[in-house]
Amino acid sequence: MAAKAFVVHFSAAKPSKEPFYRYPDCPSTSQSLPLKSLSGNKPAGNFNNVLFISHYTLATLHRRLSPVSAGDSDVPHPFHQESGNFRSNKAFEEWNSLTANFSGAANIPFMLLQLPQIILNARNLLAGNKAALLAVPWLGMLTGLLGNLSLLSYFIKKREKEAIVVQTLGVVSTYVVISQLAVGEAMPMPHFIAISVVVATGLVLNFLNYFNMLNAGLWRFWEDVITVGGLTALPQVIWSTFVPTIPNSILPGTIAFVVGVAAVVMARMGKLSKQGVKFVRAISGWTATLLFMWMPVSQMWTNFLNPDNIKGLSASSMLLAMIGNGLLIPRALFIRDFMWFTGSSWATLFYGYGNLVCLYCSNVISKEFFLAATAGLVSWIGIALWRDTIAYGFNSPLRSLKELVYGQ
């Protein structure tokens, strides 16, 4: 872009005071910069100063996100310290915008996934058929709700707006289903009241933090709560999947709870190293991701034990799950978020597509349906890798994957 265009932009009065939410650690590229000299408050007196400021803004605009290691996925996006490939500037900005739009579009299939259940529950409640609501496992819904709430906090911290909307929709829609179960007496009312308090508190704290209206100490306390909660839920859910093959027990969750509390207390008291504190901070996001990643494993285990149950799976629901999670993959790859990429890819391949494979092998769906879904998925992943490679000016998509996992 020519420097002249930036001169016009800079001359527009005052700098914007609106925060730049996507990358909070760097100046917004949409902010106008006053034409001041570096040594004082006098306006830039010659075109060389203007060219300098224009070059600065071009460099700021086209620097790319710094790849971080997989263990640092929970930190806000840092900016790369080197100028990006200027030949890829347009491709970078276009793919940045497109991946954000894809992430936002994921709300559509995710909403369509939950809506039929909400409508069916409402019909059963109106008809007085409360027994039908017992078919919906409230513990499973609760696990998904807590996962959404933890990931909401994760993306609030990263200022990833489209993902925030996805997780908020997940929290609200799942809570609606749980409310219906409570009304239909399909879950204990005391549990529902406690869940309601947690959900309301979580939503309020998250959005207060998003708008920088929350005390840092209160936010750290909330992070400690979801860290312990996620660490407690994950091993308990994994254990419960294999009951009655193994004895029913709350021991895994209890042990994890004690370990979680101990880790949080030690981190607060300064008894852990810097790497240890970083690890504890990352637990909530990873446990939420692993909870969602366990869902396809649980489903496939159920399919293995009861092959006839496969016919009860909805092919359209599995396709929507594949599409919704697949739409998140390009964004996760683009911002080098290994945790998000892992969860989205796993859900796409093993939950959505994996169950379509099971349905096809059981002759529940047609060959044409299965091949179309396969071709669409392979093409989508290929396009995501190809466009990311072009956006960053690399020669191979393997470079993008290497940065995603190991950082720079």
Side-chain angles (χ1 to χ4, degrees):
M1 187 178 293
K4 185 177 180 181
F6 284 99
V7 175
V8 175
H9 178 65
F10 288 156
S11 63
K14 300 178 181 179
S16 168
K17 294 183 178 180
E18 294 181 2
F20 185 50
Y21 292 120
R22 190 170 311 286
Y23 310 117
D25 293 342
C26 65
S28 167
T29 56
S30 64
Q31 277 188 316
S32 56
L33 297 176
L35 292 178
K36 307 291 185 182
S37 65
L38 294 177
S39 58
N41 295 323
K42 297 180 180 180
N46 59 59
F47 194 67
N48 288 332
N49 290 342
V50 175
L51 284 176
F52 170 79
I53 299 173
S54 299
H55 175 76
Y56 168 81
T57 308
L58 273 170
T60 303
L61 179 63
H62 297 299
R63 284 172 186 164
R64 59 186 176 89
L65 294 173
S66 174
V68 294
S69 65
D72 293 335
S73 290
D74 67 312
V75 299
H77 311 318
F79 235 55
H80 202 282
Q81 298 303 315
E82 300 174 1
S83 298
N85 186 339
F86 274 40
R87 292 173 297 176
S88 302
N89 286 340
K90 184 177 180 181
F92 183 91
E93 293 303 321
E94 286 180 350
W95 192 233
N96 177 28
S97 177
L98 281 173
T99 55
N101 290 335
F102 292 148
S103 181
N107 284 293
I108 298 173
F110 286 141
M111 187 62 193
L112 292 176
L113 269 173
Q114 201 71 279
L115 196 58
Q117 186 66 60
I118 293 173
I119 294 173
L120 180 60
N121 289 347
R123 287 176 177 172
N124 286 325
L125 286 173
L126 292 173
N129 185 17
K130 294 183 177 181
L133 273 71
L134 294 172
V136 183
W138 69 269
L139 277 174
M141 300 301 296
L142 175 59
T143 300
L145 178 64
L146 294 177
N148 283 129
L149 203 54
S150 293
L151 287 178
L152 175 61
S153 298
Y154 173 80
F155 288 117
I156 286 283
K157 186 163 58 177
K158 300 198 78 168
R159 297 296 196 260
E160 211 29 68
K161 289 187 287 187
E162 293 79 12
I164 289 171
V165 175
V166 170
Q167 299 305 325
T168 303
L169 180 62
V171 171
V172 173
S173 60
T174 306
Y175 180 74
V176 170
V177 174
I178 288 179
S179 301
Q180 292 174 321
L181 297 181
V183 172
E185 300 176 357
M187 71 173 293
M189 185 56 68
H191 291 65
F192 172 70
I193 294 173
I195 292 169
S196 299
V197 172
V198 172
V199 170
T201 303
L203 289 175
V204 170
L205 291 179
N206 273 291
F207 287 102
L208 284 177
N209 186 58
Y210 181 82
F211 293 108
N212 300 313
M213 298 170 61
L214 187 66
N215 177 271
L218 193 56
W219 177 251
R220 284 197 298 271
F221 175 75
W222 170 250
E223 285 190 312
D224 291 343
V225 169
I226 59 177
T227 294
V228 174
L231 198 58
T232 302
L234 180 60
Q236 190 61 51
V237 168
I238 293 175
W239 182 276
S240 299
T241 300
F242 302 106
V243 173
T245 305
I246 57 177
N248 192 11
S249 173
I250 62 170
L251 185 61
T254 303
I255 293 175
F257 174 79
V258 173
V259 171
V261 171
V264 165
V265 170
M266 290 177 67
R268 281 297 191 97
M269 294 176 64
K271 301 295 184 180
L272 298 179
S273 65
K274 185 178 179 180
Q275 286 298 116
V277 173
K278 185 183 294 185
F279 176 79
V280 171
R281 286 180 56 197
I283 287 177
S284 60
W286 274 107
T287 52
T289 299
L290 292 171
L291 279 171
F292 284 116
M293 289 174 65
W294 187 253
M295 289 174 63
V297 178
S298 178
Q299 182 65 60
M300 289 182 180
W301 175 254
T302 301
N303 295 345
F304 174 75
L305 294 179
N306 304 290
D308 291 338
N309 286 355
I310 295 175
K311 297 180 180 180
L313 288 177
S314 168
S316 59
S317 294
M318 294 302 104
L319 181 63
L320 286 170
M322 186 183 81
I323 293 173
N325 286 288
L327 285 169
L328 301 175
I329 292 176
R331 186 65 185 173
L333 176 62
F334 179 75
I335 67 171
R336 302 300 191 255
D337 190 320
F338 181 70
M339 189 192 80
W340 191 11
F341 181 85
T342 302
S344 300
S345 300
W346 183 277
T348 300
L349 296 173
F350 293 97
Y351 185 63
Y353 184 72
N355 279 302
L356 288 179
V357 171
C358 293
L359 290 171
Y360 175 68
C361 293
S362 302
N363 297 317
V364 177
I365 59 176
S366 66
K367 182 179 180 179
E368 291 76 15
F369 183 96
F370 176 70
L371 290 178
T374 302
L377 177 60
V378 172
S379 300
W380 180 251
I381 294 176
I383 290 172
L385 290 171
W386 169 61
R387 286 298 303 269
D388 190 86
T389 302
I390 293 176
Y392 279 100
F394 297 154
N395 296 320
S396 168
L398 294 178
R399 172 77 180 276
S400 293
L401 295 175
K402 181 181 178 181
E403 284 194 349
L404 175 72
V405 178
Y406 299 107
Q408 188 184 13

